[in-house]
Every structure is written in C-alpha cells, then in structure tokens.
Amino acid sequence: MSEYVLGLSCFYHDSAAALLRDGKVVAACQEERLSRKKHDAGFPSRAVKYVLREGGISPEQLDAVGFYDKPLLKFERMLSTYIATFPRSFGSFRKAMPVWMKEKLWVPSLIRRELRPYKGPILFAEHHMSHAASCFLVSPFEESAILTVDGVGEWATASFGVGKGTDITLFKEIRFPHSLGLLYSAFTYYLGFKVNSAEYKVMGLAPYGKPVHFDRIMSEMVHLNEDGSFKLDMKYFSYDYGLTMTNGLFSEFFGGPPRKPETWMTAREFDIAASVQKVCEEVVLRMVRYIHKETGLTNLSMAGGVALNCVANGRVIRETPMKNLFVQPAAGDAGGAVGVAHYIYNTLHKRPRTEGWTHAYLGPEYEDDEIAGYLDSRGIPHQALPRAELLRTTARLISEGNVIGWFQGRMEFGPRALGGRSILADPRDAKMRDTLNMKIKFREGFRPFAPSVLADKASEWFDIDCDSPYMLLVAQVREGKRTIPAVTHVDNSARLQTVTRDESPLYYDLITEFEKITGVPIVINTSFNVRGEP
Ligand SMILES: [Fe+2]
C-alpha cells in the first residue's frame, strides 16, 4: 500500500500544500493561485483539497501531516524580542497578539479541524530544516552542502549544513535579529516597495545604479565575519520592535526619509538598491566559500527567500568553488510544505529518496473540454489545433510581434512562470519590453523580462555553462549576441530559464519552431499575473 505524507506551510506568507506518494511529490500548490489573494498566508484549504484530489485520496488515507515550522518556538522568539525592546515594542505587540491567540498557537487543532476525519500524527520541523529538506532531498545530489537564508524562521535567519543520503545536519546558524533577508527587506521598505513581496524589484533596480554606499554599509551597518556570519547594528532598524522596518537613524544614514510608494525614482534610489544588492551578494559569497571550506563539498543546495536572488546565485556559480548548484524553485516559504513532507518521509522515516526534481510543473491542470467550456461561457472565440500546427502558428505569431498567452499542462510550483502559465513574446524587439510593461502587465517600466532559451543553445547566447531550469540564475548576454534587447537588462545581464525537451517537450518544441523562423532559440517568458495579482 502506498504511503502518503502531506506538507503544509502557512500563517506567515505564501501558504502552500504538498503531497508525497511513496516519497515522490504528486502535487504542490500555493494557496494564492487558488484563492487569488497575493501571498495568501491563511490555512491552505484550497491547496490541500487540490493536492488530495490529485493524489486520489481523502484525508483519512494520509499517513502523516507535517507543518513547516515550530509555532511555539517562533512565539517564544517574538515574546523575548518584545520584552527586550519594551516599551518601544508595545504597538507591534498589540497588533500581533490577537492573531497568535486566535490561530497561530493552535495549529494542531486547526489542522485537525481542516483535515477531518484525519487522526494520524501531526509533526513539526524547524523552519530552516524545512527549507534545507526542500532543496537537498529533491536535488540530484547524493551528498551536498546546504545553505538556507531567509528573513527569519523561529530564531534562525540562515543555516549552514550538509546533506548525505537521507540525513541532514545543520551545523551552524545565524539568529534573529541579524538577518540578511530582513536587511534586504528593510531596504525594500525604505525604497518604497512592499516588504516580503517586492524584494525582486530592488534586485531589478540595482543595475541602474552604482553601489556607492557599499563601503559605508559594510563598515557601519553590517559587521561581516570571515565565516559569513554577521551582526547588524540594530540601531538603524525597527523591525524587531516596531511596525516599520527602518527608523530615523537609517533615514539619516541615507540623507532622507523612505521613498513614498509610487513616486518617481532617481539615481539616489538606484544607488541604494545597487548598494544593498552588492551587500547581499558579498554576504552570500562569503557564506558559500565558508561552507565549501568546512565541508570540502562542491555541490550546493539552496533555499529560503534569499535564494531567489538570482544575481547572487549567478555569482555563486561563477566565483566560488561550488561546481553544481540546486536551488529549490519555491525557495520561499511555500517550498517549506514540500520540505517538511520530505523531511518526515526520508529523514525521519528513513525511506530512500526517489530521483531528484527535473521540473516544477506540480500544480493543477485542465482538460481541453474544461478550457473550451470556460471560453464558451465568456463568449471568447477559440479554436483547437493539432500539435504541429499549434507550434507553427504560435511561433509565427510571436515572430510577427504578437503577445501570446501560453497555458499548457500543469501549473508551476514557485514564483516563476516556466512555460506552463506564461505570456510569450519576441525578444528581438526592443519596444516589446515597454509594450508588455505598460499595456499588458501594468507594471514599472524599469523591470526587465526574462528569456527562455533552449538548454542546448544557452551557452552560445549567454555566459553560462550549467542549466537554469527554474529561472534562478543571472548570466551575461554574450557580446556577439546582443540582438535580444527585450530580455537584456541595462548591465547586459539576463535572468534566464534553460528549457530541455525532457522537462517540457511542448515548450521546447515551440521555441525550436521560433528558432526555425528567426534564428533565435529564445522567447520572452513572463508570468500571467498583472501587477498586484498572484
Ligand atoms: Fe523562510
């Protein structure tokens, strides 16, 4: 009989559910994609229903349920921080307590209520163990160094570890309030963007500026040690006690108040973004070099929100002794659902691992007649084409400057559209970037678009010699190949997805058709969501 483990993450941001059958992920989905509430943090009721349906089981057939962190430890951290920073913390304390009292402290009974009539065990893994398991246990590596970096879990904000077979040892951690993720979020807040959501905008903004504040930040704000550990000078920050991320001293440090959201940006904001991005990269590089020195390993598995910083990841591959990098595509907290499920099945129950992930298409899929029914109900004209014709026609339409909605197969797990639910366009057209930003996505004009490139052609076009299947690496566009302005950022970099035929045959064949017409094995790939939507 098969063994089923359900993993859950929720109550902070990006809640999700994942189901394993005999150690292989059957389905994983973020609640926001089903509830249409961006970063939905509530209990993932819809996602649970979906993954159980995909597995063909009901709750009582589950053998174990895992939760991705330890709420009591987190509560302890919050209480001790509030006490240490009282009375400044009172406002934040008053705001946080009702939610804790109402649901966060009662996670087991809430899970039981939602999963009725399930009566089996509910197990809890530490937040960074869930992140570590989410990358290492689904990686292609039998043995690997592990680095998890995020805002904060219970106490840890970064963990260094080793995975071997089904065992994971986390041998060192950095603890709250010293946090690379929260440092980045603090700058995100100061630059007028949404914390826990728009950090990637700061990364996109960075190449427009110069890291002129880097030295000052590293000498006064961030005290970095040789082993990648660091302490923040907390006098500049208020996230440990207040309702904002930074305080007056931080504003003084940069010579002005935080930027008001939606106002103009100037060279000043670009330079600040470039500076914090460089800080982030240098800290991550220092951590990775230290783990390599300690373990001698050249495989690295990464997760945690900071692992979504694909510019830093690109430097890890180019500038450290690590030879192979696996980043969990849902590196943020959603991935914790997959992590805790694998931790229970492989590490606690000591069951052997199945083969590593080769794709992230783990979400819902729709049948042709369901799609036709939906389009009919909205009065949208449609036509079904045989495979070869669909590919030829779509490739031609893209090459003629049309913007195509590409909805095929299962939905991606993780924040990136990877050719399952994507908007596609021609990367050769410089104006395409503005068209997409202004008319289709309604988002800021500075944001670059990402290319999907045939994996076997990637190194011809980009300075990269490994795969980037989840769009989590940035590489330079090669000098003779700067004919794809719509996906080339101001610093000639691109955040690319390499596509193989094994992972995604239909998408691969579409890009091949596009290449036949244009000589370019690349399309623009951006997600369906417009600004502010999941
Ligand atoms: Fe996290």
Side-chain angles (χ1 to χ4, degrees):
M1 221 166 65
S2 290
E3 187 174 335
Y4 290 95
V5 182
L6 176 71
L8 300 171
S9 66
C10 56
F11 298 142
Y12 190 48
H13 48 92
D14 294 336
S15 62
L19 180 68
L20 302 190
R21 180 195 291 130
D22 298 327
K24 201 170 162 44
V25 64
V26 173
C29 187
Q30 232 170 289
E31 185 70 2
E32 64 161 28
R33 303 297 172 96
L34 304 174
S35 69
R36 308 294 303 147
K37 234 166 87 187
K38 199 173 164 89
H39 300 300
D40 196 338
F43 188 89
S45 310
R46 295 173 184 84
V48 167
K49 271 200 193 94
Y50 157 66
V51 298
L52 293 182
R53 194 171 68 238
E54 192 72 49
I57 60 166
S58 48
E60 65 269 31
Q61 286 167 273
L62 289 167
D63 295 281
V65 174
F67 192 75
Y68 85 129
D69 71 8
K70 295 194 170 172
L72 288 180
L73 272 182
K74 198 181 252 181
F75 190 62
E76 172 204 282
R77 185 251 302 163
M78 292 183 64
L79 281 186
S80 25
T81 312
Y82 284 138
I83 291 165
T85 53
F86 192 82
R88 287 180 301 173
S89 57
F90 187 67
S92 170
F93 174 81
R94 208 167 48 182
K95 195 165 172 228
M97 276 313 107
V99 197
W100 275 93
M101 292 304 164
K102 200 171 139 238
E103 54 186 18
K104 290 187 182 182
L105 281 175
W106 317 108
V107 172
S109 46
L110 218 136
I111 292 177
R112 295 231 179 263
R113 198 172 72 217
E114 292 276 345
L115 289 177
R116 231 175 267 162
Y118 174 73
K119 296 217 163 40
I122 297 174
L123 303 161
F124 294 78
E126 279 186 30
H127 189 99
H128 276 252
M129 184 54 91
S130 294
H131 277 317
S134 83
C135 54
F136 170 63
L137 292 174
V138 306
S139 76
F141 311 134
E142 173 57 25
E143 191 174 10
S144 157
I146 301 173
L147 178 63
T148 62
V149 192
D150 67 359
V152 61
E154 295 87 0
W155 280 99
T157 64
S159 293
F160 302 64
V162 174
K164 192 170 182 192
T166 56
D167 287 334
I168 296 173
T169 311
L170 300 179
F171 60 82
K172 182 186 175 77
E173 66 180 25
I174 298 173
R175 299 189 113 205
F176 185 85
H178 309 292
S179 161
L180 187 57
L182 290 173
L183 174 78
Y184 209 92
S185 293
F187 277 79
T188 303
Y189 161 82
Y190 183 74
L191 289 172
F193 298 110
K194 231 180 172 166
V195 168
N196 276 335
S197 172
E199 280 74 7
Y200 64 98
K201 292 186 187 175
V202 175
M203 185 178 73
L205 209 57
Y208 291 96
K210 293 190 185 62
V212 294
H213 306 288
F214 174 77
D215 291 335
R216 279 176 64 224
I217 296 172
M218 293 309 281
S219 66
E220 291 174 47
M221 244 178 218
V222 183
H223 304 292
L224 180 62
N225 304 313
E226 207 40 56
D227 62 359
S229 66
F230 60 87
K231 283 212 160 25
L232 301 180
D233 189 334
M234 292 309 295
K235 76 176 184 212
Y236 295 105
F237 304 95
S238 45
Y239 60 74
D240 55 332
Y241 62 84
L243 295 168
T244 59
M245 296 295 290
T246 62
N247 60 24
L249 277 179
F250 190 99
S251 299
E252 233 169 74
F253 191 91
F254 288 108
R259 170 183 161 258
K260 285 204 177 65
E262 311 298 328
T263 55
W264 276 106
M265 280 182 287
T266 61
R268 175 175 176 269
E269 281 78 26
F270 300 154
D271 288 348
I272 294 174
S275 304
V276 70
Q277 176 60 29
K278 188 169 177 202
V279 169
C280 175
E281 292 167 23
E282 295 303 325
V283 175
V284 169
L285 289 177
R286 190 82 66 100
M287 290 172 165
V288 172
R289 289 188 187 117
Y290 167 74
I291 294 195
H292 169 74
K293 209 173 109 210
E294 281 296 294
T295 64
L297 296 168
T298 53
N299 296 331
L300 176 66
S301 305
M302 281 177 77
V306 176
L308 292 170
N309 195 306
C310 37
V311 181
N313 297 348
R315 287 191 65 191
V316 165
I317 271 297
R318 286 191 302 275
E319 298 178 34
T320 75
M322 293 297 176
K323 291 200 175 75
N324 306 297
L325 175 65
F326 177 82
V327 183
Q328 161 59 242
D333 283 356
V338 168
V340 66
H342 273 289
Y343 180 71
I344 292 169
Y345 185 83
N346 300 118
T347 307
L348 292 182
H349 293 180
K350 303 235 171 288
R351 301 265 200 273
R353 290 161 61 188
T354 52
E355 74 275 22
W357 281 15
T358 54
H359 64 79
Y361 308 110
L362 300 168
E365 179 171 34
Y366 298 87
E367 299 294 333
D368 286 354
D369 51 351
E370 284 178 271
I371 297 172
Y374 176 80
L375 294 172
D376 284 338
S377 73
R378 300 280 170 129
I380 300 168
H382 56 90
Q383 187 189 0
L385 296 175
R387 191 179 194 276
E389 211 186 324
L390 168 78
L391 296 175
R392 266 199 312 273
T393 310
T394 311
R396 179 179 52 78
L397 287 170
I398 296 173
S399 74
E400 289 168 357
N402 295 288
V403 176
I404 302 294
W406 184 251
F407 188 104
Q408 300 287 346
R410 297 182 68 176
M411 186 198 282
E412 302 86 346
F413 183 50
R416 300 279 98 86
L418 299 169
R421 305 284 182 273
S422 293
I423 291 175
L424 309 178
D426 191 337
R428 299 169 303 161
D429 180 1
K431 290 194 296 294
M432 192 49 86
R433 178 157 142 181
D434 291 340
T435 309
L436 282 171
N437 270 330
M438 306 302 167
K439 293 194 186 153
I440 294 177
K441 307 264 295 181
F442 308 111
R443 63 179 210 180
E444 301 92 335
F446 69 84
R447 310 257 312 270
F449 285 99
S452 292
V453 55
L454 298 180
D456 30 338
K457 305 279 171 72
S459 58
E460 271 173 43
W461 287 76
F462 304 95
D463 179 19
I464 190 169
D465 55 7
C466 60
D467 282 343
S468 173
Y470 307 123
M471 212 181 259
L472 289 168
L473 286 181
V474 160
Q476 292 295 112
V477 180
R478 289 207 187 276
E479 221 157 282
K481 300 285 190 184
R482 305 252 163 97
T483 54
I484 43 172
V487 290
T488 308
H489 209 2
V490 287
D491 57 352
N492 291 316
S493 70
R495 183 188 72 191
L496 69 160
Q497 175 199 6
T498 54
V499 183
T500 64
R501 200 161 194 289
D502 286 347
E503 290 154 16
S504 188
L506 193 71
Y507 193 38
Y508 183 92
D509 290 350
L510 174 70
I511 304 173
T512 307
E513 282 298 325
F514 183 76
E515 185 191 18
K516 276 188 206 157
I517 302 170
T518 62
V520 175
I522 298 163
V523 295
I524 296 178
N525 173 7
T526 185
S527 58
F528 266 150
N529 63 311
V530 299
R531 198 172 175 203
E533 278 195 352

